Amino acid sequence: MSLNSVEPNQGIGTKLMAAAEARAQATGLTKMVTTTTNDNLAAMRFYQKHGYRFAKVIRGSVDTARTLKPTVPEIGNDGIPIHDELLMNKDLPRL
């Protein structure tokens, strides 16, 4: 799933995340996992506010992807060079 807000801070992302987590729990899953790039501070903030924690930095993964898809930008949000993916996860309580 990818969410790109046209009008941020309206609660739509929060509702989508809650629905995805509820669906995962209903099917017996116990962990949610997401990734974002190192430049996406808004995504990091969003996920942390919703209980996600940093699990792993995949160093150079975007650099590698760029060799296969040269259109992947080198500079991202706020002028930050994009190099890495950040893996974040959240444990879900069992129903």
Side-chain angles (χ1 to χ4, degrees), residues 13-87:
T14 297
K15 289 177 184 171
L16 286 169
M17 183 64 63
E21 290 175 1
R23 176 72 183 247
Q25 282 182 291
T27 60
L29 298 177
T30 59
K31 183 174 283 197
M32 296 291 287
V33 178
T34 188
T35 63
T36 190
T37 51
N38 65 279
D39 70 312
N40 197 339
L41 304 178
M44 288 182 244
R45 205 169 27 253
F46 174 82
Y47 289 121
Q48 288 183 85
K49 281 181 12 182
H50 292 87
Y52 287 72
R53 299 186 62 187
F54 293 102
K56 183 177 182 180
V57 175
I58 307 168
R59 292 177 51 94
S61 64
V62 180
D63 297 324
T64 300
R66 198 176 289 114
T67 64
L68 302 171
K69 187 176 180 186
T71 57
V72 173
E74 292 186 23
I75 305 296
N77 298 326
D78 301 311
I80 298 171
I82 308 172
H83 297 290
D84 312 314
E85 281 183 276
L86 304 170
L87 180 71

